[in-house]
Amino acid sequence: TLRWPDGSTYTGSVVGLQPEGMGTYVDGSSGRYQGAFDRGRPDGFGELRAGSALRIVGHFAQGRPHGCALVISEQEAALPVTFS
């Protein structure tokens, strides 16, 4: 497990003290990303949770949602979207 001064943690595969491969990053507030990492950033298929109200499930590139994904609300309503 990697820990940062702001309270963020990462549990999963590590290469050179950076997240690499599959893992879970929890930020110091209420965000969480679980999925693939490349050179320390979300990259590949994963799920981003922003608090308890919103989830984005899909592809990530260079730390951001990219391509097709589902945005899921707290009420479990799903909206397909495309990020560029």
Side-chain angles (χ1 to χ4, degrees):
T1 299
L2 300 175
R3 298 181 196 283
W4 287 269
D6 67 356
S8 300
T9 61
Y10 170 79
T11 304
S13 301
V14 175
V15 173
L17 295 179
Q18 284 190 347
E20 184 73 31
M22 298 302 289
T24 301
Y25 173 80
V26 179
D27 71 17
S29 57
S30 61
R32 171 187 164 150
Y33 172 82
Q34 184 171 6
F37 287 82
D38 182 38
R39 295 181 211 131
R41 299 199 299 190
D43 199 290
F45 186 80
E47 176 179 291
L48 175 67
R49 289 182 178 258
S52 62
L54 181 69
R55 290 187 295 154
I56 299 173
V57 179
H59 188 263
F60 290 76
Q62 299 178 0
R64 297 177 28 187
H66 182 79
C68 296
L70 282 177
V71 176
I72 304 169
S73 71
E74 185 176 21
Q75 294 81 22
E76 296 297 322
L79 175 67
V81 296
T82 301
F83 293 95
S84 56

